[in-house]
Amino acid sequence: MCRLFSYLGPPRSLGALLVDPAHGLRSQVRRPRRQAVGHDNPDGFGVGWYDRPGDPARRLRRDRALDLDADFDRLAESTVAPAMLAAIRNATPPLPVAEVNSAPFRAGPWLFAHNGSIEGFTEGVGLPLRAKVSVARAAAIEGDTDSEVFWALVLDAIDAGQDPADALVGAIDTIETVTRGRLTCVLTDGSALYAATRGNGLWTLHNAGLAAGGVIVASEPSDDDPAWSEVPDDHLVVATPAQLTLSPIPTRGATFR
């Protein structure tokens, strides 16, 4: 499994969001508190951010642990952003540890990260799933992970004109016509956060829990503030600094649910 952290609100430094909290993403590399599968996350990391609303996403990815990367330390000290998405990785065997396999994945204005795994992906399931991806999006896949195929399915749905939240549900539905999986994910374009829980948890912290306002959607709380709220499984989250909504993921008769 992996750990995810996303933020949207008044500009804050990456260090304040990911490093300074007692149980922040940097701490979760070695000491996650709510990770269902695996005990640490040393197999690479990535952080994507937007310098200003409407700007294209910038990104740093590495194939080493977040807490061992001096480039990230320098970046965290100097980078202030109004929106970001970061992930640390616990690789699912036999998928390799490689920079291209580290989330967040990026296309156009979008950043995406997945916490989980698609059952049987390396034992044959990956082939029929890849066959469901458009030629254009398949050609853009760089790495080996099930997460990037999931991402391509989300992009195909967005390309077809679906709302981003519906695109997440549509991609989950497509996967579940073939197999099961833990399909919790977060998507952002820097103006809103879209997330889905399927098998792995997410937590939110919205306005009241943030001194300067804003919203966080993350795999687990980064501190002990009682304002954190757990998202129920099989739910969508759509969040901006002004509003956060939760809704059940519709059941569409997926073969493996």
Side-chain angles (χ1 to χ4, degrees), residues 36-71:
V37 179
H39 304 289
D40 58 7
N41 300 278
D43 299 326
F45 75 92
V47 56
W49 70 97
Y50 302 81
D51 289 330
R52 291 173 295 275
D55 279 3
R58 302 179 67 185
R59 182 180 61 174
L60 174 74
R61 295 193 295 176
R62 292 291 186 264
D63 61 359
R64 53 187 175 268
L66 175 64
D67 60 344
L68 299 178
D69 192 275
D71 289 342

Side-chain angles (χ1 to χ4, degrees), residues 2-6 25 86-87 113-115 184-186 202 217-219:
C2 306
R3 302 284 83 187
L4 313 177
F5 184 98
S6 58
L25 201 70
H114 164 220
N115 175 23
T184 294
C185 57
V186 178
L202 288 173
V217 179
S219 293

Side-chain angles (χ1 to χ4, degrees), residues 115-130:
N115 175 23
S117 60
I118 295 174
E119 190 173 306
F121 184 78
T122 59
E123 287 80 46
V125 166
L127 293 175
L129 280 180
R130 286 176 182 271

Side-chain angles (χ1 to χ4, degrees), residues 182-206:
R182 293 176 179 263
L183 303 173
T184 294
C185 57
V186 178
L187 170 72
T188 187
D189 60 355
S191 62
L193 300 174
Y194 306 90
T197 54
R198 185 73 113 205
N200 283 328
L202 288 173
W203 291 71
T204 63
L205 188 64
H206 192 237

Side-chain angles (χ1 to χ4, degrees), residues 5-7 10-28 47 72-81 84 86 205 209-212 216 221-223 228:
F5 184 98
S6 58
Y7 169 78
R12 299 183 68 186
S13 74
L14 299 184
L17 292 167
L18 303 176
V19 177
D20 295 347
H23 306 291
L25 201 70
R26 186 188 184 112
S27 174
Q28 293 167 34
V47 56
F72 173 76
D73 291 343
R74 289 188 288 270
L75 179 74
E77 290 177 3
S78 61
T79 301
V80 174
M84 56 83 63
L205 188 64
L210 291 163
I216 292 171
S222 52
D223 55 36
W228 285 93

Side-chain angles (χ1 to χ4, degrees), residues 13 20 24 29 50 53 65-66 90 98-99 101 103 105 110 116 129 166 173 188 196 200 207 220 237 243 248:
S13 74
D20 295 347
V29 173
Y50 302 81
L66 175 64
N90 182 329
E99 185 173 301
N101 289 338
F105 303 103
W110 299 105
L129 280 180
D166 289 338
D173 281 350
T188 187
N200 283 328
N207 281 329
E220 59 182 78
V237 181
Q243 185 175 17

